[in-house]
Amino acid sequence: MVAPCIQDVSFSEKESSHVGKLCLQLNCNSDCIHVLRSMVAVMTARAGMDELRSNRVAIAVDELFANIATHAYGGKAGRVEMETCICNESDRGPVLIFDFRDFASVVWSGDIKAAANHEPDPANLTPGGLGLRLICKVSDHCEHESLEDGNHWRLIFNINDGEQNGCNA
């Protein structure tokens, strides 16, 4: 029997406002990608992002979730908490934030800046190894924190059309 995708959903007291916050607990499986894409569509619409920007947010969210499923949980079942909100009180101006928290025994200890700046060799391209670079290229900021019992990832997207900053630690 396949576990249900969504374990829990909660909404902040501002759920009907423009700056609402949405929270989910997901089972880490490929069926959940549809739920994540729906969350991206809702939040990018609330943020007033155009279709191109919304698609970039979806790419980064999809890739991060796939990385958690593949690398943190090794393709096995696992819990992921996802929270997304619009923050109008950022030093960057208004931003859309996606936080992911896994409880995997595999804790990532790499360097985000190094991954973001790694130039692939076109003559020797191989599958894998470019996901974090992609995430960093389409998000405005990417953060990682190693926890005692998992990982915390944060993706930040500027709402106003502006120059992307890439992954800054």
Side-chain angles (χ1 to χ4, degrees), residues 30 32 42 49 62 65 83 85 107 123 130-131 137 143 146 156:
S30 61
C32 293
V42 166
M49 292 179 167
D62 287 359
F65 189 75
E83 181 176 300
C85 67
V107 177
L130 298 176
K137 292 299 180 187
E143 301 172 3
S146 297
I156 300 174

Side-chain angles (χ1 to χ4, degrees), residues 72-88:
Y73 286 116
K76 297 180 180 160
R79 185 177 80 180
V80 176
E81 294 176 353
M82 196 270 305
E83 181 176 300
T84 180
C85 67
I86 296 170
C87 177
N88 289 314

Side-chain angles (χ1 to χ4, degrees), residues 85-135:
C85 67
I86 296 170
C87 177
N88 289 314
E89 299 174 9
S90 164
D91 59 350
R92 302 168 177 272
V95 295
L96 176 57
I97 300 171
F98 284 85
D99 282 310
F100 286 83
R101 163 68 159 103
D102 68 53
F103 298 85
S105 59
V106 176
V107 177
W108 188 72
S109 60
D111 179 351
I112 289 179
K113 284 185 179 182
N117 294 322
H118 172 73
E119 290 292 333
D121 177 7
N124 296 308
L125 286 179
T126 58
L130 298 176
L132 192 52
R133 177 177 165 78
L134 173 65
I135 291 166

